[in-house]
Amino acid sequence: MPTILIIGPYRFFFYSADRLEPAHVHIERDELVAKLWLHDLKVARHNGFSGAELRRIIGIARDNESALKEAWDAYFGR
């Protein structure tokens, strides 16, 4: 599970088995986890983040979108 980015309490990472899915990133804080699609930064799923916190996470992803996409491509060889 390579960590791509840590900002504040949020860790952005990939699972190595995710190569067959469209580009996305997982985000965790404590016991909470969310999944964002990188092509449109939409929440694929989450387990307990509030709406305000999801908006904050999406904002962080938007600010780092290029780095996240480049990391996905570099890791999965696309």
Side-chain angles (χ1 to χ4, degrees):
M1 290 190 310
T3 296
I4 308 308
L5 182 67
I6 296 176
I7 295 186
Y10 306 111
R11 180 173 80 100
F12 291 71
F13 65 97
F14 304 136
Y15 287 107
S16 58
D18 285 350
R19 81 182 83 219
L20 299 178
E21 293 188 48
H24 64 277
V25 65
H26 299 270
I27 304 93
E28 72 176 5
R29 176 185 63 78
D30 303 324
E31 299 297 317
L32 304 178
V33 179
K35 177 178 174 180
L36 293 181
W37 299 116
L38 291 178
H39 70 277
D40 60 5
L41 298 180
K42 300 286 185 193
V43 176
R45 66 175 180 262
H46 73 93
N47 69 340
F49 284 109
S50 69
E53 197 164 15
L54 286 170
R55 288 188 293 278
R56 189 174 314 123
I57 289 167
I58 291 167
I60 292 169
R62 186 174 295 112
D63 291 345
N64 295 278
E65 185 174 3
S66 294
L68 293 170
K69 288 178 178 178
E70 288 171 14
W72 176 276
D73 291 342
Y75 189 78
F76 292 109
R78 295 190 183 154

